[in-house]
Amino acid sequence: MARSSIPIPELNLTAQEMIQRATAMRRTLRDRQQATEEAGRILEQTNDEFVKAGFYRIVQPRRFGGYEFDLPTYVKVMSEVSRGCPSSGWVLALTAGHPIILADFPEHAQIEAYGTDGEYRCPSLGSPIPVKCVPGGYSVSGFWDFASGCDIATHIMVSGLIPQEGAAPKPVLMLVDRKDYSIIDNWSMVGMQGTGSRRVVVEDLFIPEYRVAPLAMWVGLSGEKVHPNPMYNGRKSSFFVIEGGAVAMGTARGMLDLYDELLRTKSMRFAPKTKLMEHHEFQHYFGVAQALMDNADAALVRAAEDYMDACTAQSERGIEFSEEEDRRIFLMVQQGTRLAFEAADRIFTTAGTQIAQTKAMLGRYYRDLAIQRTHFTQQMDRTAVNFARIHFGFAPLSPF
Amino acid sequence: MASVLQENSTNVIEAPEPGLQPAELIERAVKLRGALLEAQAAAETRGTYSPEMHEAFKKAGFYRILQPRRYGGYEFDVPTFARVIVEIARGCPGSAWCLCLASGHALNVAQLFGERAQAEVFGPDGHFAAAARALPSGTATRAEGGWLLEGTWDYCSGVPYSTHVLVGVRLLGESGAQPIGVAVVPRSQWTMLDNWGDFIGMRASGSNSVQMQGAKIPEHYLVREDFFAPDISHGTAGARLHGNSMYAGGTLGFFQTEISSIMVGVGYAALDEYESIIRARKTFGPAPVLQYQHPDYQRPYGIALGKLEAARHALLGAAQEYMELARLSVAGQRTYLRSDDLRLQSGLQHAAQLSFDAVDLLYRMAATSAGAKNGTRMQRYFRDVSMARTNPGLQFDLKAADLARQLFTEQDQLQPGAAS
């Protein structure tokens, strides 16, 4: 196998050190929340700091200049960043995680994607559109919404449907360079406004065959197995929900941070006007919110560990990373995020009406979470049924 | 009895439509829903409903639902009021909040104030609307022939179209353990501040602050009562004046009926919107069908409808029980206790909670582009509910221990030996 010589920026950087960097950045990220929301995208300064900290290389193969840390490390770093700024965390998580998606592509595409310096930040976009077959590849024209991170991306992975003779079209992902897409500003949301998850447009673009991979999130096939590390060769659905899950955890945890501060400083409105933290009810709220959050976090880290285990068992012991296991992990993350949502609801509804003001930070976290809970990966009822169907030998009704 | 009624009807202001029936009034609210839906976005931007909508509400008689017949009102019961508000909220939650909290407090005026004050504030044509802020956020000081009021009362929902406000005040220079009162203040004596709208939701509720600087009111426009717990143990002067026990109930149960009516209406509004979304959109994945044909989308509809039905029945049941408790109390058969008021409030809080659960479920099931994007109705309902949930009156767990304590205390007082 051809070895690349892309240098790793900090050869001795440990996972623990990277998590600490994320934690150290939280306060600054909080201070920039409003500016990020107003800008409607991740701030250049924030992105530069993420690049410098090595966050985009967290699960990037060492061969291509990355740190190749494990998934629990990824989850902790993304959660810590999101705890400071959910929008910035979302952009980071949904681009920095995608070396694992790129791993399904042919080696040639990966070598091109990482280039000479290993700079790779790449959203992947669902809602596949039909593409045309041309000699040596495909011709693509169309658009995809919700392109989180399109501003700071080096590439995007867009989804397409390749026509098949006498059969349903084949869903695929296609790798597109930054210079080959344009951005249309159609992002106007109640929360997560700072992600700049706008529409990207491609016109008459030629995509060579080697820049195409199966849409593994949908079809469950693993790709080329370019890397020996089992983490790169698993199913992708549950991986994808782990990415969003890490952001949801951080967002709710950020609310708990503010709630802690609020209870220490704010007084009851009615007599006796004690501090909220002295009041029995608020002590109860805080304790329950803490427990919900800790269980939510624990479930997500466990899901990330289970994902790694399933990958390893497949690669090293030949035990299939089954569709059932993929959905089981998916469902586990969804239940975990529900606990975080519940904690957030309790915090928001008991913190006083002032925090519902448009520029209040606690209200912003709540709005951010309100958007996240509508994400298509968060529809737990659907996944629950599909998991059970697979478990009992029936075909699932939909990909998630 | 007849003689009292006759005597009381001597200075009647005729209601605009003396023969109007509750069912007709509710039907009018249903018919306005389409216009309210269309006007939602504009109402949000404006911070309240339009002057045209105000005229439509006025013409329909919505400001007079609970107002005494003697002063030009329809004097319908609290369940009728709740049903009208549910229908308005189903068209526009924010507008319903504004209308409800401007029209409902006619009941409190009829309950708390004397005949002279009532004749003046409801007159001369019987049009009356009053936002209320019970928390004593300002002061009243004795002055020549009356009171001078100072202060700023925040969240005076319904104030844009109010002719008066009802506010809790601290009485300065007065004796007593807790010198507080309730004042009814005509619009000429206060200013509505331009400080409403910068909140996550319920932006159409017209919840501006009201400021008073040296506001002057006559003696009889202030009563020495706690707005959250007026003395109803011996009936009220208002109930006797109007010959209607509805004006002798506790205020918490009634206030919570106002809010929970709006909340139940929002739930049905979200259900309507959910239905139109799933009738138009297809399922995700291979072999797509219209969502409304798929069990994954039918289930949330069924669950939400079930929760909303339970909430609606709880709302109307509590409103009816308010009427009944007040009737028994005035008839001397059973005192309307503080715990009764807290009990009504708590049931009504849970009715609202059921609606919140329904909206949460429907919001989450609607796709991001149909339910979360700016400009979508579902997003607006979600924001409206989010805003409402921060209202302290809706936090059932904060009040739950109060309810239990009150009940236990009353029981111990009735059976002193049992509390050893």
Side-chain angles (χ1 to χ4, degrees), chain B residues 49-299:
Chain B
Y49 46 79
S50 67
E52 294 76 26
M53 191 61 78
H54 166 63
E55 285 306 318
F57 289 164
K58 211 171 151 182
K59 190 156 167 266
F62 295 158
Y63 290 105
R64 298 177 188 244
I65 303 172
L66 296 172
Q67 194 166 313
R69 288 218 155 239
R70 179 187 178 95
Y71 298 122
Y74 294 111
E75 205 172 313
F76 293 145
D77 60 5
V78 176
T80 301
F81 179 72
R83 290 177 67 186
V84 169
I85 297 303
V86 167
E87 295 302 335
I88 298 294
R90 195 168 174 173
C92 176
S95 297
W97 189 289
C98 190
L99 170 68
C100 177
L101 276 76
S103 62
H105 301 123
L107 179 138
N108 302 108
V109 171
Q111 169 186 34
L112 295 171
F113 290 87
E115 182 174 0
R116 188 175 160 201
Q118 292 194 35
E120 287 169 14
V121 303
F122 287 128
D125 61 356
H127 175 65
F128 174 81
R133 186 64 167 139
L135 196 71
S137 315
T139 59
T141 317
R142 282 271 178 206
E144 183 69 33
W147 298 91
L148 278 178
L149 273 50
E150 296 281 343
T152 304
W153 288 261
D154 56 6
Y155 304 116
C156 291
S157 302
V159 71
Y161 295 104
S162 285
T163 59
H164 296 73
V165 289
L166 281 175
V167 292
V169 288
R170 297 188 304 280
L171 307 179
L172 296 186
E174 298 289 310
S175 56
Q178 211 186 8
I180 55 173
V182 185
V184 57
V185 190
R187 188 149 193 147
S188 60
Q189 298 300 307
W190 45 264
T191 316
M192 180 179 93
L193 301 184
D194 181 18
N195 67 345
W196 177 247
D198 197 21
F199 282 85
I200 187 169
M202 282 296 174
R203 293 179 191 160
S205 65
S207 303
N208 306 62
S209 297
V210 160
Q211 193 175 56
M212 296 185 202
Q213 292 167 314
K216 194 149 194 263
I217 54 168
E219 177 78 31
H220 56 288
Y221 280 28
L222 189 148
V223 290
R224 292 167 187 249
E225 294 282 2
D226 178 350
F227 208 168
F228 291 112
D231 181 7
I232 53 169
S233 57
H234 306 289
T236 62
R240 286 185 286 273
L241 173 66
H242 303 294
N244 185 343
S245 55
M246 174 170 79
Y247 301 120
T251 46
L252 292 180
F254 175 70
F255 288 158
Q256 199 59 52
T257 305
E258 293 185 315
I259 302 298
S260 291
S261 303
I262 305 162
M263 295 301 104
V264 170
V266 188
Y268 281 97
L271 192 68
D272 293 341
E273 181 64 11
Y274 178 74
E275 182 176 350
S276 70
I277 291 169
I278 63 173
R279 281 183 178 278
R281 294 177 72 100
K282 291 193 168 169
T283 54
F284 177 70
V289 293
L290 284 170
Q291 290 176 347
Y292 87 100
Q293 296 167 326
H294 193 288
D296 280 355
Y297 293 88
Q298 293 163 346
R299 187 194 314 114

Side-chain angles (χ1 to χ4, degrees), chain B residues 309-326:
Chain B
E309 287 292 288
R312 190 169 60 85
H313 292 308
L315 169 70
L316 297 178
Q320 194 56 54
E321 186 161 339
Y322 168 90
M323 300 296 294
E324 184 63 9
L325 288 167

Side-chain angles (χ1 to χ4, degrees), chain A residues 259 262 266 276 282 346-353 355 362, chain B residues 395:
Chain A
Y259 196 54
L262 185 85
K266 192 178 172 185
L276 296 184
F282 283 89
R346 284 165 181 258
I347 291 168
F348 180 77
T349 55
T350 57
T353 301
I355 55 99
L362 196 42
Chain B
Q395 283 159 36

Side-chain angles (χ1 to χ4, degrees), chain A residues 186 188-190 269-270 281 285 338 348-349 353-354 356-358 366-367 370 373-374 379 400, chain B residues 133 135 155 198-200 284 299 363-364 368 373-374 379 382-383 386-387 389-390 395 397-398:
Chain A
N186 66 341
S188 169
M189 305 296 280
V190 66
R269 195 152 185 185
F270 296 92
E281 291 304 320
Y285 299 152
R338 283 203 173 187
F348 180 77
T349 55
T353 301
Q354 285 302 323
Q357 276 187 331
T358 309
Y366 176 80
R367 290 187 284 108
R373 67 173 82 182
T374 68
Q379 307 313 312
F400 298 111
Chain B
R133 186 64 167 139
L135 196 71
Y155 304 116
D198 197 21
F199 282 85
I200 187 169
F284 177 70
R299 187 194 314 114
Y363 169 76
R364 188 158 37 76
T368 304
K373 206 158 184 169
N374 287 347
Q379 190 223 61
F382 180 80
R383 287 188 292 103
S386 297
M387 181 69 195
R389 290 170 92 169
T390 66
Q395 283 159 36
D397 40 4
L398 197 57

Side-chain angles (χ1 to χ4, degrees), chain A residues 74-75 78-79 81-83 85-94 192 195 241-253 300 337 369 372:
Chain A
Y74 167 88
V75 162
M78 300 305 141
S79 280
V81 170
S82 304
R83 190 171 168 181
C85 176
S87 282
S88 303
W90 181 269
V91 167
L92 176 66
L94 273 77
M192 298 301 269
T195 63
V241 77
I242 286 170
E243 288 187 330
V247 181
M249 295 309 157
T251 309
R253 182 70 73 173
L300 183 63
T337 53
L369 214 49
Q372 292 178 46

